């Protein structure tokens, strides 16, 4: 049967050997017969075709377009050789530099002192000022609140510092190339130099700078502490390199938490505070271990610009900065979203003491009156106990603010000063200008020498009373001309240009008449008036001529109030003082005590009582009516200088003496202001607040029975002038030793 057109079935052998792919069976011998000599029914083996010999592939030829120019090849080979040479030199140079940096860092690390020697690196000590009851009200110098560590501070504060200053702090080796590159990019983008502005410094580098690379302040090397600190903060390439080496050395010497501890204790945080413990106590009245996230963020925000972001300087600006830091803490996983929202919704609040900011002028006065080696130049921590009464200080500040807001026209540059004092000279409050917080500025209560005007007149009458005159003696208020050698004739006038004829001393003072004051001063002797005023504490150069009686001399407000205190205490001089004692922090025994208080007697107590009575009439019936209080007796005297350049009211109750001055710093005349106006109103507002809640006491003054009036020389004669002349002559011999 023919199998043409049909597929041959697969043989068993084919199946065994895998079909055509299996091994070939050997061809049978013989003429193609089958096995056993059959007739050749099997197939004859096919002859294998001859193998093809592999032809060797010819090399490909580059197309003419891709062939390199021999000149190009030559230069490329030169450049390649140069680049290779540079690379070989560069990496070896980098390796050597790195080895030298590591060696220098290691040497720095080995020479660094023990950690505990570095916590308090202040050049100056601190001055803490306490009020009369022992409460802190001001700080000066560099305040160090005590050592804190990364383990003892609030975790929120630690996280806020790291989040703000160096988020990779725990991962780098002291220097962060990524941070430096980022800072340079920001500086260039904002148009600054690469090293100006953001420095990209790590916390370790900042600590190295705070330590000034281990170099202490030496007054023989630097002109001042400020020059030393400026040199430590310089941002030159050389300083940056030194900073990096020292930072790496710190990483070798100390642990990360050790470095963070140093940073937290050395950083300046505004208001004279060094370290986070001092800052936390200053702003929040609590330890750095107990601050909340909002408080921690505000403290960490001070690191960027301590003075600008100090909450006592601008609370809202400080809170805005704290909000940015809270968000950084949230982004870096230190705060949950809810905690961050709560911190922003409930920002940090200043402590009551930090809010008050009172007594700045007083504190500066104390600092200037105590020895500088215990104040501005102290290297120890000093405690100054003062006479300040914070309740009275607040009263004075509130009164000045109220009067200027309610009574003074907007835009006025007029200034005011207030001093409140006890009768023994202890200063209880001081305001040196309209900026009642003061501190570091011109103090008009202690530094401004101004003409006193009619506020000087009580010392004229004090002299007369000491010499035997009385409140009801009569003097003539009539035209007067005095020939002054070298100046010619001088004719004083009253403020209203009127003459009243015979008036008592009481009326002359009550109405602040000028001509009677000049008559009395010339009669009792100008030298005697100068001596009485000087003995009462007016130490300024007193005028030599008869204009002395009208307050032509200059004085400070604190001197005038001190002199009036001598009148109140019965006629004894006082030296105004604010410092009670000085001691080193931690010591029980004081280094020094007060150098003020009551001194020698100036006038008799009877004369002082009579003078207080006359000054009481100034307030009840005379020019000082606006100064009076409804519930207690007030005595005092107004004063206005020529052209109204200065306006005064100085007076007292039975408990306190107070003085007010108003004027312009450049001597511009006041408009519509006399001592009987705004100064008297400020006095009233101050004393109203000072005496709020205090028991009422009577003034130590004369309560006269009606007596017949007597004449002074120069008044119409009533037959007693000669007798008074004898009194004056006898008193001059007894009191002043005159012949």
């Amino acid at each position: 049967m023919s199998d043409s057109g049909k597929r041959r079935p697969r043989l068993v052998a084919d199946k065994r050997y895998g079909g055509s792919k299996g091994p070939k069976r050997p061809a049978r011998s013989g003429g193609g017969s089958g096995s056993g000599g059959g007739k050749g029914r099997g197939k004859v083996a096919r002859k294998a075709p001859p193998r093809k010999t592999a032809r060797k592939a010819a090399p490909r030829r580059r197309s003419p377009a891709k062939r390199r120019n021999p000149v190009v090849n030559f230069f490329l080979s030169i450049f390649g050789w140069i680049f290779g040479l540079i690379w070989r030199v560069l990496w070896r140079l980098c390796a050597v530099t790195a080895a030298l940096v590591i060696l220098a860092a290691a040497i720095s690390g080995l020479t660094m002192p023990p950690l505990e020697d570095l916590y308090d690196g202040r050049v100056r000590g601190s001055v803490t000022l306490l009020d009369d009851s022992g409460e802190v009200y001001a700080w000066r110098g560099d305040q160090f609140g005590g050592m804190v560590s990364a383990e003892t501070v609030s975790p929120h504060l630690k996280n806020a510092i790291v989040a703000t200053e160096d988020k990779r702090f725990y991962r780098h080796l002291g220097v962060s190339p990524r941070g430096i590159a980022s800072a340079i990019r920001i500086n260039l983008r904002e148009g600054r130099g690469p090293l100006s502005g953001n420095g990209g410094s790590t916390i370790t580098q900042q600590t190295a700078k705070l330590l000034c690379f281990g170099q202490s302040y030496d007054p023989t090397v630097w002109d001042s502490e400020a020059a030393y600190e400026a040199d430590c903060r310089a941002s030159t390439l050389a300083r940056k390199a030194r900073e990096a080496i020292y930072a790496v050395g710190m990483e070798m010497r100390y642990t990360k938490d050790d470095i963070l501890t140093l940073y937290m204790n050395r950083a300046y945080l505004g208001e004279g505070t060094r370290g986070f413990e001092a800052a936390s106590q200053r702003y929040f009245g609590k330890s750095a271990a107990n601050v909340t996230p909002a408080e921690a963020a505000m403290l960490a925000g001070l690191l960027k610009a301590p003075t600008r972001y100090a909450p006592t300087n601008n609370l809202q600006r400080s809170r805005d900065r704290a909000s940015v830091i809270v968000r950084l803490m949230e982004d870096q996983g230190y705060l949950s979203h809810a905690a961050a929202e709560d911190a922003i919704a409930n920002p940090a609040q200043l402590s009551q003491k930090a809010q008050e900011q009172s007594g700045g002028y007083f504190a500066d006065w104390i600092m200037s009156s105590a020895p500088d080696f215990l104040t501005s130049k102290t290297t120890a921590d000093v405690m100054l106990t003062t006479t300040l009464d914070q309740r009275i200080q607040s009263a004075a500040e509130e009164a000045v603010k109220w009067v200027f807001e309610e009574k003074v026209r907007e835009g006025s540059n007029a200034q005011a000063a207030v001093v409140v004092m006890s009768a023994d000279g202890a200063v209880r409050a001081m305001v040196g200008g309209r900026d009642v917080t003061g501190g570091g500025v011109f103090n008009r209560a202690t530094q401004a020498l101004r003409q006193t005007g009619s506020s000087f007149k009580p010392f004229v009458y004090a002299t007369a009373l000491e010499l035997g005159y009385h409140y009801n003696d009569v003097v003539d208020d009539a035209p007067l001309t005095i020939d002054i050698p070298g100046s010619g004739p001088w004719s004083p006038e009253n403020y209203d240009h009127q003459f009243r004829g015979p008036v008592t001393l009481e009326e002359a003072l009550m109405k602040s008449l000028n001509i009677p004051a000049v008559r009395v001063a010339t009669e009792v002797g100008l030298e005697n008036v100068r001596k009485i005023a000087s003995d009462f504490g007016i130490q300024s150069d007193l005028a030599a001529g008869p204009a002395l009686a009208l307050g032509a001399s200059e004085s400070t407000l604190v001197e005038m109030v001190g002199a009036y205190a001598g009148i109140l205490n019965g006629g004894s001089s006082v030296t105004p003082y604010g410092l009670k004692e000085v001691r080193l922090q931690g010591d029980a025994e004081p280094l020094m005590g007060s150098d003020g208080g009551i001194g020698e007697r100036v006038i008799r107590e009877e004369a002082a009582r009579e003078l207080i009575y006359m000054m009481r009439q100034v307030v009840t019936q005379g020019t000082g009516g606006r100064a009076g209080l409804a519930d207690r007796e007030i005595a005092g005297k107004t004063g206005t200088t020529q052209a109204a350049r200065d306006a005064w009211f100085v007076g007292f109750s039975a408990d306190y003496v107070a003085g007010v001055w108003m004027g312009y710093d450049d001597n511009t005349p006041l408009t519509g202001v006399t001592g009987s106006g705004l100064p008297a109103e400020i006095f009233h507002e101050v004393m109203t607040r000072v005496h709020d809640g205090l028991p009422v006491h009577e003034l130590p003054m004369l309560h006269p029975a009606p007596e017949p009036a007597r004449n002074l020389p120069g008044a119409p004669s009533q037959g007693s002038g000669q007798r008074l002349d004898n009194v004056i002559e006898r008193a001059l011999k007894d009191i002043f030793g005159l012949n």
Side-chain angles (χ1 to χ4, degrees), residues 63 126 343 431 452 580:
S63 63
S126 66
V431 177
T452 57
K580 292 173 65 176

Side-chain angles (χ1 to χ4, degrees), residues 376-423:
S376 59
K377 296 182 180 179
T378 180
T379 56
D381 292 323
V382 179
M383 310 289 287
L384 303 182
T385 303
T386 70
T387 60
L388 181 75
D389 186 318
Q390 293 197 62
R391 183 188 67 84
I392 297 177
Q393 179 68 35
S394 296
E397 292 174 359
E398 290 170 6
V400 171
K401 284 182 179 179
W402 186 86
V403 169
F404 272 91
E405 289 173 359
E406 299 294 329
K407 303 283 187 176
V408 179
R409 64 177 175 81
E410 188 176 354
S412 171
N413 292 321
Q415 286 289 346
V418 177
V419 172
V420 182
M421 186 183 296
S422 296

Side-chain angles (χ1 to χ4, degrees), residues 603-643:
I603 61 175
R604 294 172 292 109
E605 186 174 356
E606 293 78 7
R609 289 171 59 84
E610 199 165 340
L611 180 58
I612 293 172
Y613 163 74
M614 294 169 62
M615 295 170 71
R616 169 67 178 153
Q617 307 315 302
V618 173
V619 176
T620 57
Q621 303 179 57
T623 58
R626 296 186 186 182
L629 271 63
D631 63 338
R632 65 194 70 225
E633 296 172 338
I634 295 292
K637 184 67 187 77
T638 58
T640 308
T641 63
Q642 187 176 15

Side-chain angles (χ1 to χ4, degrees), residues 358 389-402 418 420 428-431 436 682-692:
S358 63
D389 186 318
Q390 293 197 62
R391 183 188 67 84
I392 297 177
Q393 179 68 35
S394 296
E397 292 174 359
E398 290 170 6
V400 171
K401 284 182 179 179
W402 186 86
V418 177
V420 182
R428 303 301 182 184
M430 180 179 290
V431 177
V436 295
I682 294 176
F683 177 94
H684 170 85
E685 294 297 329
V686 170
M687 295 296 263
T688 298
R689 291 167 172 80
V690 166
H691 290 88
D692 185 28

Side-chain angles (χ1 to χ4, degrees), residues 418-573:
V418 177
V419 172
V420 182
M421 186 183 296
S422 296
D424 65 350
V427 178
R428 303 301 182 184
M430 180 179 290
V431 177
R434 286 176 63 178
D435 178 12
V436 295
T437 57
V441 294
F442 183 66
N443 188 339
R444 296 160 188 84
T446 61
Q447 295 175 284
L449 281 168
R450 309 296 295 230
Q451 286 192 342
T452 57
S454 293
S455 62
F456 183 84
K457 288 176 181 175
F459 305 108
V460 173
Y461 293 104
T463 307
L465 295 171
E466 177 64 12
L467 292 176
Y469 289 73
H470 292 283
Y471 70 95
N472 59 349
D473 285 337
V474 176
V475 63
D476 197 12
D477 179 21
L480 175 67
T481 299
I482 300 175
D483 189 23
I484 301 175
S487 299
W490 175 63
S491 300
E493 292 186 348
N494 294 322
Y495 181 77
D496 59 2
H497 307 292
Q498 308 251 338
F499 303 101
R500 291 166 180 78
V503 293
T504 63
L505 301 189
E506 173 189 340
E507 184 180 359
L509 182 63
M510 179 178 68
K511 295 181 179 179
S512 197
L513 302 177
N514 290 337
I515 296 173
V518 173
R519 287 187 185 276
V520 172
T522 55
E523 288 297 331
V524 301
L526 297 177
E527 286 299 322
N528 297 331
V529 175
R530 275 193 290 272
K531 186 177 190 313
I532 290 290
S534 177
D535 288 349
F536 267 123
I538 301 178
Q539 300 298 322
S540 305
D541 187 19
L542 296 171
L548 168 73
L550 305 183
S553 304
E554 294 179 335
S555 183
T556 63
L557 179 60
V558 71
E559 278 185 354
M560 289 295 289
V561 176
Y564 274 56
I567 298 172
L568 175 61
N569 70 28
S572 295
S573 66

Side-chain angles (χ1 to χ4, degrees), residues 38-50:
K39 291 185 177 180
R41 294 178 63 183
K43 290 185 178 180
V44 178
R46 295 179 180 177
K47 186 176 181 181

